[in-house]
Amino acid sequence: MPSSRTGPFQQQQKLVERYLHKKVWQYLDVGLYRTAQFTAERLLAFDSTNNDYRHVIALVHLRAGDIYTALNYARDTPHLGCLFVYGQCCLELKKYQMGIAALENGDYLYKDNNTMGKKGSMGIASPGQLDDDNLVLVRVVIPYTSMVLALLGTLYKAAGIEKSAIMTFALAIKLDPFCWEAVAGLCELQVEISVDKLYKDTAYILKPPEGQPDDDGEGLMEGRKKVVSKNFSSAILTLDDGKINDRDLSTTSPGFEKIEYMQGTGPETAEPQKSPGQYNNSTKIFSHQLPSHFSKETPGSPDLFVFPQQRSRGLNQSTKNLPYVSLHAIEKSPRSSSQLKANYQQASKTLAQLYSTLTTSYIHYCHYRCDECIAALHRLPAAQADTPWVAARLARMHFEKVEYPAACQWFVRLRQLQPYRIEDMEYYSTALWHLRDAPRLVYLASALVAQDRAAPQTWCSVGNALSLANDTEGAIRAFQRASALGDSGGRSGRTSAAAAYAHALEAHEHVTADAYERAQACYRRALHTDKRHYNAWYGLGVVFLRLGNSAMAKLHFATAHRINPANSVVTCCIGVVEEHLGELDRALTCYSAAIGKHPKSAISRYKRARLLIRLQRYPEAMRDLECLGELAPDEAAVHFLRGQILKMMNKRTEAVRELTVALTLDPKGAHLIKKALEDLTTFSDDE
């Protein structure tokens, strides 16, 4: 244990350390990573055994992108901040098992460190917590239990340990229902979250300051002042026992003045770090206990550690600079405590309703329940609805419904909200490919190349543009580059999803070139990256169907349909397989279901019309062909089938007209159409 008495040299060195520690966090907060790294090295040189110093230098290197150096600093350090940084590094480097082992073995550091799930706390500093309308911003440096569990769940999910991921995410949202990392993780693992129960108890989300009196006017103001005085000592700092807060938290909202709010470290010992859960909620920021009193003057460091404008003022006068309460606002706001409580309750309900709607929509999104997701998103307030996340979800849902014009409209809106967005652009390019919109597709690909050549979404867009230009080899090379960039990317989420999609797009090109073995290999690589990638299951079904293996094709199409039951193309393909297997009634049901999902699906109506002709149900087939005439007026096959039906219905004049139109539209099929005309003439002569 360090001696309670230190000489002048040791005291001076501690002051230098505290000042450098404060400056590191300031440089880190504003993104001056080179300066932060340089300062952190100076700091660690003073005391290489201080785990807080190792944490901050590891965090600097992590945010600067120097992952391996951050991993090295955070390794084998009994400090919750270092443990969290180590887990993040393992996630970035895809060393999932290493991260899981470290977080599991270090659970004693964080299992009691959470205020997020306790009513009235939510991790916000306890001193008053609020002015009438303003929450206090408290920077959390040492993560709460819920945050560590969210990271551990992400590692489990990336490693494919789904049961452990589900349990860990569930614990995280129990402690903090607003941790979107955990909520989204559960949704993506196909867990049906009880949203009503998750956000049902909303009373604790926003809580009025304690100590509010029942009367108005002066009583309310005095009650607020008591809150400030009561909590001021635990909120501010002192140099007692060598401890000092090291951050600078400034509030610039109206009614507030800037205040330096620092936290420091204090002497390290060889004992394991105590759980921050053992201390007062208002001090759960770092691993050390904050002092319990305020020293209005700091001996020995008048220029570095004393609050501005507070050196000669007493405690009661200094409270006006606290970010927790604006006394100016209090004096002009003599509202009753019951009204204040009602405001908090209504605000809590509003917040819970917002997150409830967003969570519900994302559950539907992950289950490909497109109509339900779209309906949920349209229930959002206008300000929340016109955001990039919502626009991206709406675009994807219309894309999955094969409603490409509507999807493109939402993608356009998404790029208006975020002009330099990369995520989801691979789907936008595919929608443009389906619409055969070459100018817009080429423009999108060029813009993405100019913006970020290292993003897999960029090369997916380039590949789609080359594919639309019938450059199959060039498209395959672009998709291969996209998949390579995605597989070598950092986090397992977005880049891996883009890599799986790139593998599937490359496989589609191989199918076009009749290279079925290469196509199967690409589809399987996509499934290895994401086993729920329905495009890959669908593609394997197409390959087996072309190879004549209807049973295997049906199996893979059924798997794709279970993942995404809203896709009309997959449903139609199941109908094609059923028709090949002789199950005509089932095939007709599948075609009808596909049309129900997407009434403007030309391929589904065409397949059903052909089957109805085969079943000699000519009037029904003619109704489908009439709809096809509006959807695809220049399609020769439609006019040819209409001519065949009219022939069977003994309407020779109309039949000749339709066959003639078909011959005009498709001169390459002249021999087949001319034969039908000859048969029609022979039939007329015999009659």
Side-chain angles (χ1 to χ4, degrees):
M1 295 293 294
S3 174
S4 59
R5 295 184 178 180
T6 57
F9 177 77
Q10 288 81 2
Q11 292 179 358
Q12 293 167 15
Q13 179 171 316
K14 280 298 178 184
L15 290 174
V16 172
E17 290 179 31
R18 294 167 198 156
Y19 182 71
L20 290 178
H21 199 184
K22 167 190 170 181
K23 298 303 291 184
V24 171
W25 284 109
Q26 290 177 341
Y27 296 135
L28 186 61
D29 284 344
V30 300
L32 294 178
Y33 298 131
R34 184 176 180 181
T35 303
Q37 179 183 336
F38 181 83
T39 309
E41 288 183 4
R42 309 285 73 73
L43 179 64
L44 190 62
F46 279 110
D47 187 358
S48 60
T49 64
N50 190 311
N51 290 336
D52 282 329
Y53 298 170
R54 296 188 68 84
H55 167 228
V56 72
I57 195 171
L59 188 61
V60 168
H61 283 282
L62 173 64
R63 294 189 183 177
D66 190 359
I67 310 300
Y68 281 101
T69 303
L71 186 76
N72 183 61
Y73 277 116
R75 189 192 306 272
D76 300 328
T77 305
H79 184 282
L80 182 52
C82 290
L83 179 66
F84 195 73
V85 170
Y86 185 85
Q88 290 177 304
C89 292
C90 291
L91 183 61
E92 291 286 347
L93 298 173
K94 298 190 177 182
K95 299 180 182 294
Y96 308 129
Q97 295 295 344
M98 287 175 52
I100 290 170
L103 290 175
E104 287 180 343
N105 295 333
D107 62 348
Y108 69 93
L109 292 171
Y110 62 84
K111 60 183 178 182
D112 296 325
N113 179 34
N114 203 86
T115 63
M116 305 293 280
K118 298 180 181 179
K119 293 186 178 182
S121 177
M122 291 305 294
I124 299 172
S126 62
Q129 293 186 348
L130 294 172
D131 183 14
D132 290 342
D133 303 305
N134 293 282
L135 278 168
V136 180
L137 174 62
V138 175
R139 170 146 67 62
V140 177
V141 175
I142 299 300
Y144 293 114
T145 302
S146 57
M147 301 172 184
V148 183
L149 290 174
L151 175 60
L152 180 57
T154 304
L155 286 165
Y156 278 132
K157 179 172 173 282
I161 312 174
E162 293 189 357
K163 289 185 178 179
S164 297
I166 291 171
M167 293 177 63
T168 307
F169 282 140
L171 288 173
I173 65 172
K174 183 178 180 181
L175 295 171
D176 179 12
F178 298 100
C179 182
W180 189 253
E181 194 97 6
V183 172
L186 287 173
C187 295
E188 291 159 6
L189 290 170
Q190 307 300 299
V191 176
E192 289 284 358
I193 302 173
S194 179
V195 179
D196 293 336
K197 292 182 179 179
L198 180 62
Y199 299 104
K200 181 179 180 180
D201 188 5
T202 62
Y204 72 94
I205 298 176
L206 299 177
K207 186 178 179 181
E210 298 178 0
Q212 297 298 329
D214 295 331
D215 57 346
D216 300 340
E218 293 185 3
L220 177 62
M221 186 174 68
E222 290 298 324
R224 297 261 184 118
K225 290 181 179 179
K226 290 178 182 179
V227 172
V228 177
S229 300
K230 175 183 176 182
N231 294 286
F232 185 72
S233 60
S234 63
I236 313 300
L237 64 101
T238 179
L239 291 178
D240 183 51
D241 295 329
K243 300 183 179 69
I244 189 168
N245 195 325
D246 81 338
R247 51 186 180 162
D248 184 358
L249 186 148
S250 301
T251 307
T252 56
S253 301
F256 293 103
E257 295 182 25
K258 184 176 180 181
I259 180 172
E260 289 191 355
Y261 188 83
M262 301 173 288
Q263 166 154 6
T265 56
E268 289 285 336
T269 68
E271 299 178 1
Q273 177 188 358
K274 291 184 178 181
S275 168
Q278 300 172 12
Y279 304 126
N280 184 283
N281 289 347
S282 65
T283 61
K284 289 184 179 179
I285 305 299
F286 273 126
S287 60
H288 298 282
Q289 185 174 8
L290 290 178
S292 59
H293 65 278
F294 170 71
S295 175
K296 67 179 180 180
E297 282 198 61
T298 307
S301 57
D303 296 324
L304 300 182
F305 302 107
V306 179
F307 285 117
Q309 303 177 359
Q310 299 297 328
R311 293 172 185 161
S312 61
R313 300 181 184 180
L315 179 62
N316 293 333
Q317 292 175 322
S318 64
T319 57
K320 74 175 185 179
N321 281 335
L322 273 174
Y324 303 115
V325 178
S326 170
L327 300 183
H328 179 72
I330 293 174
E331 293 168 359
K332 294 185 178 181
S333 179
R335 290 181 289 177
S336 66
S337 59
S338 59
Q339 179 62 45
L340 182 65
K341 184 177 180 180
N343 290 343
Y344 276 75
Q345 290 177 345
Q346 186 57 45
S348 296
K349 290 180 181 179
T350 301
L351 181 61
Q353 181 61 41
L354 172 62
Y355 270 77
S356 177
T357 304
L358 291 170
T359 303
T360 300
S361 69
Y362 199 64
I363 292 172
H364 293 316
Y365 173 84
C366 292
H367 285 82
Y368 292 99
R369 296 195 286 259
C370 302
D371 291 330
E372 292 89 340
C373 178
I374 293 171
L377 291 173
H378 283 315
R379 290 198 298 269
L380 288 169
Q384 292 291 332
D386 195 24
T387 56
W389 188 88
V390 174
R393 303 287 80 76
L394 288 169
R396 281 292 306 278
M397 287 295 93
H398 285 291
F399 179 89
E400 300 301 344
K401 290 183 66 178
V402 201
E403 298 175 352
Y404 298 122
C408 286
Q409 290 178 3
W410 281 108
F411 279 124
V412 168
R413 180 55 186 160
L414 176 60
R415 284 184 62 79
Q416 290 173 348
L417 294 170
Q418 284 187 340
Y420 298 101
R421 185 184 177 99
I422 292 291
E423 187 183 357
D424 298 311
M425 290 301 102
E426 67 273 31
Y427 295 98
Y428 183 24
S429 66
T430 302
L432 294 174
W433 183 91
H434 282 290
L435 294 176
R436 296 294 188 265
D437 194 342
R440 291 170 65 189
L441 180 53
V442 171
Y443 175 79
L444 174 65
S446 302
L448 295 177
V449 168
Q451 179 181 338
D452 188 357
R453 297 176 66 91
Q457 294 87 346
T458 296
W459 294 101
C460 285
S461 301
V462 172
N464 278 326
L466 293 171
S467 175
L468 188 58
N470 297 319
D471 185 358
T472 302
E473 292 297 325
I476 290 173
R477 288 195 297 271
F479 293 138
Q480 287 174 344
R481 184 167 184 178
S483 58
L485 289 169
D487 290 333
S488 63
R491 289 182 178 268
S492 60
R494 297 169 181 174
T495 56
S496 294
Y501 193 62
H503 284 304
L505 291 175
E506 179 189 349
H508 293 337
E509 292 300 313
H510 287 306
V511 170
T512 303
D514 296 330
Y516 298 125
E517 291 185 3
R518 294 181 180 178
Q520 288 186 64
C522 290
Y523 285 133
R524 291 194 173 101
R525 283 196 290 271
L527 291 175
H528 178 74
T529 304
D530 179 8
K531 67 180 182 180
R532 289 186 52 80
H533 199 279
Y534 81 92
N535 264 306
W537 290 106
Y538 159 79
L540 286 171
V542 171
V543 170
F544 284 117
L545 185 61
R546 293 198 178 188
L547 294 175
N549 192 340
S550 298
M552 289 296 293
K554 181 179 179 180
L555 176 65
H556 287 82
F557 284 140
T559 304
H561 182 265
R562 281 196 300 271
I563 297 171
N564 184 0
N567 193 284
S568 61
V569 176
V570 176
T571 307
C572 181
C573 288
I574 296 176
V576 172
V577 175
E578 296 288 5
E579 188 173 356
H580 284 184
L581 294 173
E583 300 289 344
L584 301 186
D585 291 337
R586 291 183 180 179
L588 185 60
T589 301
C590 290
Y591 293 146
S592 299
I595 294 171
K597 295 173 185 176
H598 187 204
K600 294 184 179 181
S601 173
I603 185 65
S604 299
R605 286 197 180 273
Y606 179 75
K607 294 287 186 182
R608 188 171 74 170
R610 287 183 57 182
L611 181 56
L612 289 171
I613 293 172
R614 186 176 176 182
L615 296 173
Q616 298 183 358
R617 294 163 63 173
Y618 302 128
E620 297 175 58
M622 182 59 74
R623 284 197 293 271
D624 275 342
L625 291 173
E626 288 175 354
C627 292
L628 280 172
E630 298 177 0
L631 294 173
D634 296 331
E635 185 61 48
V638 174
H639 293 281
F640 179 78
L641 284 180
R642 291 174 68 173
Q644 294 288 73
I645 293 176
L646 291 169
K647 171 187 171 182
M648 298 299 180
M649 296 174 67
N650 199 26
K651 296 181 179 180
R652 293 187 296 275
T653 304
E654 292 88 341
V656 170
R657 184 179 65 250
E658 293 294 337
L659 291 173
T660 303
V661 173
L663 182 63
T664 304
L665 292 173
D666 186 15
K668 294 182 179 179
H671 63 286
L672 184 62
I673 300 173
K674 287 181 179 180
K675 186 177 183 304
L677 286 170
E678 291 174 0
D679 292 342
L680 184 61
T681 303
T682 302
F683 177 78
S684 177
D685 292 342
D686 291 342
E687 190 173 283

